[in-house]
Amino acid sequence: MGVRLMVVDDHRLLAEALASALKLRGHRVLAAAAPSAGAAELVVSRAPEVCLLGTAAPARPGAFDPVVRIKKERPQVAVVVLGPVPSPRGIAAAFAAGASGYVRNDERIEGVERAMMKARAGESAVAPQLLQQAFEELLHPAAQPDDEGARLLELLTPREVEVLMRVADGEDTRLIAAGMDIAPSTARTHVQRVLMKLEVGSRLEAAALAARTGLLDRAAGGRAAARTAAGTDAAEGAMAGPDRFTAGPDHTTVGPDQADPGPPPQ
């Protein structure tokens, strides 16, 4: 028995292509529409058994708001999300909004059809491989892309980072120059470069941006790590015995058995 459904996607051509394929397989397509932002109103008015909701950005804030409204006003409608391979949070967000299933948007038509049938029957429709990938990511999380604070930090030189930290502490140009042992004109130049790189118009904005993005915490952490590493190196040097290799005046490595034997005997 065919499913009475609607297909909604941000891309009209994709919605219409999927709708045509499902019609050929005996399903009754009430509508194929775009964009998905208007899906809720359309689904509420037509009341299909299943709504296939396509989204290219499941992580976008509000991506599943239509699902929330559909389930609130038409709880009997089963919503199956069609989207890219999501993070575990993406799958969780879809189901938290009330979706009955999540299917990859490159799934074969048979897979989409199976998900529709399961959703109509009141079952959860998630491909086993998607769940496996989700669990794998939860168990072995991939490195996350740098956040805004890290990105901004990479724009600044170590000297500019110190200037920014001093600006955030409320130091004026004179105090910055004195604390860093540089000329006031040089301090002003550093401040201007920091403002330009952070794309802000004032010292106050720079300090607020640095605090909001965690840039200051990252910078402070980096300086603490550098001090720790320096202290470790110094300690290792002090503990080294007399046979430790040292650098000669010509920067070549000299071992204890290669020391200068002194002037030849007369």
Side-chain angles (χ1 to χ4, degrees):
M1 180 179 176
V3 176
R4 192 175 74 256
L5 67 119
M6 289 180 58
V7 182
V8 184
D9 196 285
D10 291 328
H11 301 286
R12 183 175 295 277
L13 287 177
L14 294 179
E16 292 177 350
L18 181 56
S20 296
L22 291 170
K23 282 181 182 178
L24 291 175
R25 300 178 74 86
H27 301 288
R28 183 185 174 192
V29 180
L30 303 180
S36 60
E41 186 174 348
L42 193 59
V43 173
V44 168
S45 65
R46 298 288 185 90
E49 293 176 297
V50 175
C51 171
L52 296 179
L53 177 68
T55 177
R60 185 186 67 231
F64 299 120
D65 286 352
V67 182
V68 174
R69 182 181 170 192
I70 291 169
K71 297 306 293 183
K72 179 180 179 180
E73 300 190 29
R74 295 284 187 179
Q76 73 277 16
V77 175
V79 180
V80 176
V81 174
L82 301 176
V85 177
S87 67
R89 291 184 181 86
I91 294 178
F95 278 90
S100 299
Y102 193 108
V103 181
R104 285 178 51 161
N105 53 13
D106 60 353
E107 179 64 78
R108 297 173 63 88
I109 191 67
E110 293 85 0
V112 175
E113 193 173 35
R114 283 194 298 270
M116 288 165 38
M117 303 298 287
K118 291 183 69 174
R120 185 178 66 172
E123 303 175 31
S124 296
V126 184
Q129 62 269 28
L130 266 186
L131 286 179
Q132 182 178 0
Q133 291 169 2
F135 283 125
E136 282 294 326
E137 186 173 333
L138 287 172
L139 293 173
H140 308 287
Q144 296 298 314
D146 289 336
D147 58 21
E148 187 179 4
R151 180 184 65 81
L152 293 174
L153 188 59
E154 290 180 355
L155 298 176
L156 306 177
T157 66
R159 180 60 62 92
E160 290 166 350
V161 170
E162 183 175 355
V163 168
L164 176 60
M165 295 182 73
R166 290 177 178 275
V167 166
D169 286 339
E171 295 185 10
D172 59 17
T173 301
R174 180 180 57 81
L175 288 176
I176 292 173
M180 297 179 65
D181 195 22
I182 57 178
S185 60
T186 303
R188 278 193 295 271
T189 299
H190 283 315
V191 171
Q192 290 303 315
R193 286 179 178 169
V194 169
L195 299 184
M196 179 183 67
K197 289 184 177 182
L198 297 183
E199 298 181 350
V200 295
S202 68
R203 299 183 184 208
L204 183 60
E205 289 181 73
L209 177 64
R212 177 175 60 80
T213 60
L215 192 160
L216 291 177
D217 292 337
R218 287 178 175 274
R223 293 176 70 182
R227 287 196 297 268
T228 300
T232 300
D233 289 344
E236 289 178 351
M239 294 173 62
D243 290 345
R244 181 181 176 88
F245 280 31
T246 59
D250 58 351
H251 304 290
T252 57
T253 302
V254 180
D257 57 347
Q258 297 174 305
D260 184 0
Q266 299 294 328

